[in-house]
Amino acid sequence: VDAWLLEAELLAADPQAAAAVYGEALARYPRDGRLLYARALHLVGVDDIAGAERDLRAILALDPENPQVLNALGYTLADRTERFEEALAMIEKALAAEPDDAAFVDSMGWVQYRLGNLEAAAEHLKRAYALSNGDAEVAAHYGEVLWEQGKRKQARALWDRARRADPEDRVLQKTLQKY
């Protein structure tokens, strides 16, 4: 399985080739959670949200309390669909299991933002930013909430720091283009 995962990762620049590797690997190991999870993340990256959800739910069928998978599916639903309440329930469950996981706290902030709860979103994202030691994706999310709160100078400063630290982060780049 490790070899399949490595091969798919090395082929990430060619989404079709990576997908073929995941498909071949999962034909041999159809219930392998690591392969399903990696393919799900790949599918999110190529905007196949239904496929990603299918793989993440397959993992949850085997391990329904897996906080990493609950968070991944919750975040994906919050970010790429309008199914915010469903996303919130998954993220709450993940966060209850691991309350200091920066990614989970970020997801909670993001779903609160998508629900229109700017104060709660800012609170969670500020905490996630501190827990993550200034992760660029978290900075993108936190800055977006600050911007929407009218705190544009703070948002710009946050984005500038993140851009200097990680200029290649796709979420940050997308956010900067948006604003």
Side-chain angles (χ1 to χ4, degrees):
V1 170
D2 288 335
W4 291 107
L5 289 168
L6 178 59
E7 184 178 356
E9 186 177 326
L10 291 172
L11 293 170
D14 181 350
Q16 289 180 329
V21 169
Y22 286 125
E24 192 175 338
L26 283 160
R28 290 184 185 205
Y29 306 99
R31 294 171 50 102
D32 187 276
R34 292 183 305 152
L35 285 170
L36 286 165
Y37 189 81
R39 183 171 71 177
L41 296 183
H42 169 76
L43 292 171
V44 169
V46 297
D47 294 322
D48 181 356
I49 304 310
E53 182 176 357
R54 181 190 61 242
D55 283 353
L56 293 170
R57 288 195 185 278
I59 300 168
L60 289 174
L62 301 169
D63 184 7
E65 301 300 316
N66 185 314
Q68 193 75 28
V69 177
L70 286 165
N71 181 67
L73 182 52
Y75 176 80
T76 300
L77 293 176
D79 192 51
R80 301 291 188 93
T81 76
E82 302 291 317
R83 294 160 52 196
F84 306 135
E85 294 298 331
E86 185 179 356
L88 178 62
M90 290 179 189
I91 295 166
E92 285 175 336
K93 199 170 180 181
L95 201 52
E98 296 183 27
D100 293 323
D101 185 296
F104 298 2
V105 177
D106 173 66
S107 294
M108 180 58 78
W110 195 243
V111 75
Q112 291 295 338
Y113 170 64
R114 298 281 283 159
L115 285 163
N117 303 326
L118 294 182
E119 290 302 317
E123 207 174 286
H124 288 291
L125 291 167
K126 180 178 182 179
R127 183 167 178 260
Y129 185 71
L131 287 169
S132 71
N133 295 314
D135 177 80
E137 184 171 340
V138 176
H141 291 159
Y142 186 28
E144 190 163 341
V145 170
L146 290 171
W147 186 275
E148 295 301 326
Q149 288 180 311
K151 300 174 183 177
R152 295 184 173 177
K153 186 175 181 181
Q154 285 178 267
R156 283 190 189 105
L158 184 66
W159 290 331
D160 285 343
R161 278 193 305 275
R163 185 176 31 213
R164 283 192 302 274
D166 189 356
E168 302 302 316
D169 186 85
R170 291 185 328 152
V171 173
L172 178 62
Q173 289 175 354
K174 186 177 175 182
T175 301
L176 293 173
Q177 287 175 346
K178 181 178 176 181
Y179 290 95

